């Protein structure tokens, strides 16, 4: 039952609502993600460079992980799939500010969790006799 | 001052975790006999109702889940049902079954949680470990379905967010069989344990009339012999099409309350099996909303089994009016009352949670009992402090 985290790390099912990936190119800057966010974690930032180039205000989403509750509403409403779930949820930060991702940083992908040793990846097997069993999986 | 009064002293019990969270009991005792016990409910999730007045309709879904972390689906479902009443839509059949499925997984989870806490309160850390360990397979199932462990935010106006993942039925069946076998162990070690029985039987008896008079709800009410269950009294989701018994016990004591929960776990498993067998094919989002999603995205969404929100969800407008919805949660009846004035947020939202109605029992059931009976009664009520204070 007990997982020896962080030496063992669980492989999560598809559709797990972890930290969010942002694709810069496919975003149509519709702001729906910021509008639906219940926690005010997703906000539209003025993209200075683009605004100057296009001669009008261009806004792109950025995320504040200190506020995000991982409800996934932003991902589900994004009409172009620019936002996607990742399975990363275990990241630690030194400062509060580091957890706020303006659009450019947001588009660089989610941080890789830090482990002292490369953890053993395990998968949950629902078992008739034991309830939950962990089974090792290959590198993913 | 009479000599009687001089004998009484005030005893402050708690707050401590995991037994009571932030809740504290103020007891007046004479020797070890409780003369009066007043629960001091503490504060955690204040202003959910008030906050709802400044949040948009969709944004309230994660909010109403917060007060009751072991039983988020009931609140989610009750809230969405009230919104749907105002919108005048009914979700598709498949969505109703999926809602029922998650609600029952959640009920088992909630009951195991309650039984575990009760175990540790009367000193059986084994029961605690077992129950908490056995929640895990159910949480895994819920996580597979929704993508989250506790705050699923799974039910949305017009449907649900995800379809059944492939192979879910088979994995669920394994979990159910595991739990069925496990029940025997529970009885051997815990429920039929003479010490447990001695601590629970005849302790904190709630008579049928008192239960009704005090407005007690959920398993605590049914343990006093009142066969009242919202799933039957006012069927919703897929319950009208499913067979299940409303579990009741007659004794009304702490043991009866625990037993109702145990037997309800068995009923819930029966419901889950039926849902998985009978679940119809079809859409999981109401056609009004589905047709608002661009065709390409709609195809993709069907392929992946994950609903995309139509853009109207960002600013969902709900017609003016009032709606009340009721749902049977793990701890009892959850009621939502929404008053809409046609704007983006409810004009007023009111939620009545089961623990709020059951908290009254602390005062009622503990008069004249021994101090050692307090945790036994407390645990048997499956009282969840954050849920009472919202
Ligand atoms: S997951 Fe939810 S809380 Fe987090 S940014 Fe998206 S909408 Fe906001
Ligand atoms: S990320 Fe998606 S929802 Fe947000 S602005 Fe871009 S396209 Fe719109």
């Amino acid at each position: 039952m007990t997982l020896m985290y962080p030496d063992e790390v669980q492989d999560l099912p598809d559709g797990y609502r972890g930290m969010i990936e942002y694709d810069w190119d496919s975003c149509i800057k519709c702001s729906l993600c910021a509008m639906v966010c219940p926690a005010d974690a997703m906000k539209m930032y003025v993209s200075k460079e683009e605004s100057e180039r296009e001669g009008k205000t261009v806004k792109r989403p950025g995320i504040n992980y200190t506020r995000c509750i991982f409800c996934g509403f932003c991902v589900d409403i994004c009409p172009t799939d620019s936002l996607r779930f990742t399975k990363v949820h275990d990241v630690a930060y030194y400062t509060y500010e580091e957890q706020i991702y303006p659009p450019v940083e947001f588009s660089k992908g989610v941080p890789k969790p830090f482990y002292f040793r490369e953890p053993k990846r395990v998968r949950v097997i629902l078992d008739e006799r034991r309830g939950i069993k962990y089974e090792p999986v290959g590198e993913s | 001052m009479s000599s009687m009064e001089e004998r009484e002293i005030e005893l402050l019990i708690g707050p401590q975790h995991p037994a009571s969270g932030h809740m504290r009991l103020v007891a007046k005792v004479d020797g070890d006999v409780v003369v009066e016990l007043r629960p001091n409910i503490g504060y955690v999730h204040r202003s959910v109702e008030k906050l709802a007045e400044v949040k948009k309709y969709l944004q309230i879904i994660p909010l109403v889940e917060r007060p009751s972390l072991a039983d988020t689906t009931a609140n989610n479902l009750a809230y969405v049902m009230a919104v749907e009443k105002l919108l005048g839509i009914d979700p598709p059949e498949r969505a109703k079954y999926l809602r029922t499925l998650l609600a029952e997984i959640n009920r088992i989870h909630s009951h195991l949680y309650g039984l575990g806490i009760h175990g540790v309160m009367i000193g059986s850390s084994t029961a605690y470990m077992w129950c908490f360990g056995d929640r895990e397979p159910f949480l895994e199932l819920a996580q597979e379905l929704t993508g989250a462990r506790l705050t699923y935010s799974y039910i949305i106006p017009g449907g649900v967010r995800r379809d059944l993942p492939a192979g879910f039925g088979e994995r669920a069946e394994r979990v159910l069989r595991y739990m069925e076998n496990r029940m025997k162990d529970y009885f051997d070690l815990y429920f039929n344990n003479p010490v447990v029985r001695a601590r629970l039987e005849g302790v904190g008896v709630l008579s049928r009339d008192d239960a009704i008079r005090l407005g007690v709800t959920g398993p605590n009410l049914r343990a006093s012999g009142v066969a009242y269950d919202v799933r039957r009294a006012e069927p919703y989701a897929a319950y009208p099409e499913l067979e299940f018994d409303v579990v009741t016990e007659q004794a009304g004591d702490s043991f009866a309350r625990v037993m109702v929960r145990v037997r309800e776990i068995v009923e819930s498993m029966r419901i889950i099996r039926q849902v998985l067998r009978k679940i119809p094919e079809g859409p999981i989002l109401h056609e009004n909303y589905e047709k608002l999603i661009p065709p390409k995205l709609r195809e993709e969404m069907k392929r992946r089994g994950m609903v995309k929100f139509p853009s109207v969800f960002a600013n969902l407008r709900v017609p003016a009016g009032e709606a009340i919805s009721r749902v049977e949660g793990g701890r009892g009846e959850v009621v939502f009352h929404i008053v809409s004035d046609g704007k983006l947020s409810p004009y007023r939202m009111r939620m009545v949670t089961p623990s709020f109605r059951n908290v009254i029992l602390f005062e009622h059931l503990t008069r004249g009992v021994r101090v050692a009976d307090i945790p036994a009664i407390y645990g048997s009520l499956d009282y969840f402090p954050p849920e009472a204070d919202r």
Side-chain angles (χ1 to χ4, degrees):
Chain A
M1 180 62 61
T2 309
L3 194 67
M4 302 310 267
Y5 183 90
D7 290 334
E8 291 175 342
V9 171
Q10 183 183 338
D11 244 23
L12 296 155
D14 285 334
Y16 179 81
R17 305 198 316 237
M19 292 174 85
I20 294 153
E21 257 172 2
Y22 171 55
D23 179 38
W24 183 274
D25 296 324
S26 59
C27 175
I28 53 168
K29 303 145 211 148
C30 64
S31 336
L32 284 174
C33 49
M35 274 194 299
V36 81
C37 179
D40 284 343
M42 189 74 72
K43 283 229 166 78
M44 298 308 278
Y45 290 67
V46 176
S47 179
K48 228 172 158 187
E49 205 184 292
E50 277 179 298
S51 301
E52 275 166 22
R53 198 172 44 211
E54 294 182 24
K56 59 172 189 216
T57 323
V58 177
K59 287 185 181 174
R60 282 181 178 273
I63 193 169
N64 177 349
Y65 276 117
T66 63
R67 298 195 65 112
C68 178
I69 53 170
F70 300 96
C71 62
F73 281 1
C74 53
V75 177
D76 281 3
I77 206 165
C78 177
T80 57
D81 274 343
S82 302
L83 298 174
R84 281 188 186 253
F85 298 114
T86 67
K87 293 178 186 176
V88 176
H89 63 89
D90 42 355
V91 181
Y93 295 87
Y94 282 105
T95 63
Y96 185 87
E97 287 74 25
E98 281 172 79
Q99 304 173 60
I100 302 171
Y101 291 82
V104 178
E105 275 70 46
F106 190 24
S107 69
K108 288 179 186 157
V110 293
K112 222 172 125 47
F114 172 80
Y115 304 111
F116 277 105
R117 282 180 297 277
E118 193 49 39
K120 201 165 96 193
R121 303 218 157 253
V122 295
R123 183 189 306 139
V124 166
I125 303 289
L126 294 171
D127 182 72
E128 198 177 317
R129 271 184 324 114
R130 297 264 308 277
I132 276 187
K133 257 189 350 197
Y134 293 111
E135 185 191 80
V137 286
E139 293 299 307
S140 56
Chain B
M1 220 186 251
S2 77
S3 64
M4 197 59 207
E5 271 169 330
E6 278 163 34
R7 287 162 55 100
E8 286 174 15
I9 56 163
E10 195 173 68
L11 185 66
L12 301 179
I13 305 171
Q16 59 164 319
H17 224 64
S20 70
H22 58 287
M23 170 153 152
R24 184 173 66 158
L25 300 171
V26 185
K28 256 202 204 114
V29 293
D30 174 5
D32 77 337
V33 176
V34 180
V35 179
E36 191 194 2
L37 184 106
R38 280 180 297 115
N40 181 337
I41 64 168
Y43 305 104
V44 219
H45 287 289
R46 297 206 76 186
S47 82
V48 167
E49 291 171 336
K50 205 68 196 160
L51 204 52
E53 291 169 17
V54 295
K55 293 267 172 203
K56 290 183 272 190
Y57 279 96
L58 213 64
Q59 299 179 334
I60 296 170
I61 293 175
L63 179 66
V64 296
E65 287 182 334
R66 259 59 196 175
S68 161
L69 274 185
D71 194 20
T72 53
T73 315
N75 285 359
N76 185 180
L77 179 56
Y79 168 70
V80 169
M81 274 167 49
V83 173
E84 279 173 348
K85 273 188 195 165
L86 287 169
L87 288 167
I89 55 171
D90 206 26
E93 278 305 302
R94 190 173 173 84
K96 287 189 189 169
Y97 273 82
L98 288 170
R99 288 174 174 191
T100 312
L101 175 67
L102 187 66
E104 292 306 318
I105 290 178
N106 218 186
R107 182 183 320 280
I108 297 181
H109 162 208
S110 165
H111 282 350
L112 283 174
Y113 179 97
L115 292 171
I117 295 277
H118 179 233
V120 81
M121 278 193 190
I122 63 166
S124 169
S125 34
T126 309
Y128 175 58
M129 299 287 177
W130 281 13
C131 289
F132 271 61
D134 290 340
R135 295 189 313 155
E136 226 39 53
F138 290 98
L139 289 181
E140 284 293 333
L141 286 179
Q143 179 176 287
E144 243 179 77
L145 187 62
T146 66
R149 265 172 69 90
L150 287 175
T151 47
Y152 312 115
S153 307
Y154 179 64
I155 297 158
I156 50 170
V160 294
R161 286 172 74 187
R162 311 270 176 98
D163 210 336
L164 270 190
F168 185 88
E170 190 198 318
R171 285 191 292 277
E173 180 58 36
R174 262 183 263 148
V175 170
L176 296 184
R177 276 207 293 264
Y178 164 75
M179 196 63 210
E180 272 160 5
N181 289 333
R182 194 72 170 139
M183 280 289 168
K184 294 189 195 87
D185 299 342
Y186 278 67
F187 274 92
D188 287 348
L189 180 112
Y190 189 68
F191 302 120
N192 286 337
N193 182 330
V195 178
V196 172
R197 290 214 164 211
R199 300 253 352 233
L200 300 183
E201 275 173 341
V203 172
V205 179
L206 177 66
S207 72
R208 190 190 149 92
D209 291 344
D210 281 350
I212 296 169
R213 186 171 58 84
L214 295 171
V216 176
T217 166
N220 296 339
L221 174 67
R222 293 194 282 277
S224 297
V226 185
Y228 173 80
D229 188 317
V230 185
R231 291 175 293 176
R232 265 289 147 71
E234 208 175 273
Y236 55 92
Y239 289 111
E241 286 137 64
L242 301 171
E243 264 174 52
F244 62 95
D245 294 330
V246 175
V247 174
T248 54
E249 291 272 340
Q250 301 306 321
D253 58 5
S254 299
F255 192 68
R257 285 190 284 273
V258 173
M259 266 351 257
V260 166
R261 295 203 175 83
V262 177
R263 289 174 52 207
E264 278 193 6
I265 293 178
V266 179
E267 282 307 313
S268 291
M269 294 202 280
R270 197 171 141 201
I271 297 177
I272 293 177
R273 281 220 171 87
Q274 289 179 52
V275 167
L276 290 171
R277 208 178 53 233
K278 287 168 78 173
I279 186 164
E281 290 299 321
I284 54 171
L285 187 64
H286 194 274
E287 52 180 6
N288 283 3
Y289 292 126
E290 206 178 286
K291 69 173 186 238
L292 294 176
I293 301 169
K296 233 180 88 199
L297 211 57
R298 208 183 314 153
E299 286 308 308
E300 174 75 2
M301 144 185 152
K302 287 209 171 122
R303 198 180 53 72
R304 273 194 288 183
M306 287 188 191
V307 161
K308 272 283 171 187
F309 293 170
S311 50
V312 292
F313 270 18
N315 283 322
L316 190 66
R317 251 176 222 285
V318 169
E322 276 184 56
I324 292 182
S325 64
R326 302 200 290 166
V327 156
E328 183 73 29
R331 302 189 188 82
E333 184 179 287
V334 180
V335 182
F336 271 84
H337 180 187
I338 299 178
V339 183
S340 163
D341 56 1
K343 299 216 179 77
L344 292 176
S345 310
Y347 173 74
R348 180 82 176 91
M349 187 189 87
R350 165 106 176 117
M351 61 193 283
V352 182
T353 47
S355 289
F356 180 74
R357 287 167 63 174
N358 289 342
V359 71
I360 191 169
L361 288 176
F362 280 101
E363 214 174 328
H364 184 78
L365 294 183
T366 48
R367 219 163 281 145
V369 303
R370 299 289 170 128
V371 171
D373 289 336
I374 294 175
I377 295 173
Y378 188 159
S380 75
L381 297 178
D382 192 10
Y383 172 74
F384 195 67
E387 200 186 61
D389 160 46
R390 75 276 174 241

